[in-house]
Amino acid sequence: MTVLVTGSRGRVASTLLGLLDAAGVKARAASKNPADLSPPPGTDTVRCDLTDPDTFDTALAGVESVFLYAEASHGEAFADRARAAGVEHVVLLSSSSVLAPDAADHAEAFLPRP
């Protein structure tokens, strides 16, 4: 199993990368600027700019699970590409932005489709 960890420069994602590494789970660290990443040794890095759908397919290749940093601008496109790539699980890191008046308008992108 390979887990794509988006937003890998952040505290939560970088901590998750360390935990996955310690558990022997293969992870791919993703960021808009992968050269800025410091993942555990042997962890692959990839460019995945959540504001640029052109970067999604390469990042998702061979991935079964995704830890997704909350970026709603192209959430539906990311979810569609993840489904097409065969991703089985997505964990969405959320925040107080779910309290925004239009939050419900973006949730459907991450719900399973029949």
Side-chain angles (χ1 to χ4, degrees), residues 29-93:
S31 173
K32 181 192 300 193
N33 300 308
D36 295 341
L37 298 176
S38 299
T43 301
D44 292 335
T45 61
V46 67
R47 182 170 188 267
C48 185
D49 180 350
L50 295 174
T51 65
D52 181 2
D54 289 340
T55 66
F56 297 168
D57 293 338
T58 299
L60 289 164
V63 168
E64 295 173 13
S65 297
V66 175
F67 174 79
L68 183 61
Y69 181 84
E71 165 54 60
S73 64
H74 294 286
E76 187 170 357
F78 188 89
D80 289 344
R81 301 272 178 88
R83 277 186 207 94
V87 171
E88 298 175 9
H89 302 99
V90 176
V91 175
L92 176 65
L93 175 64

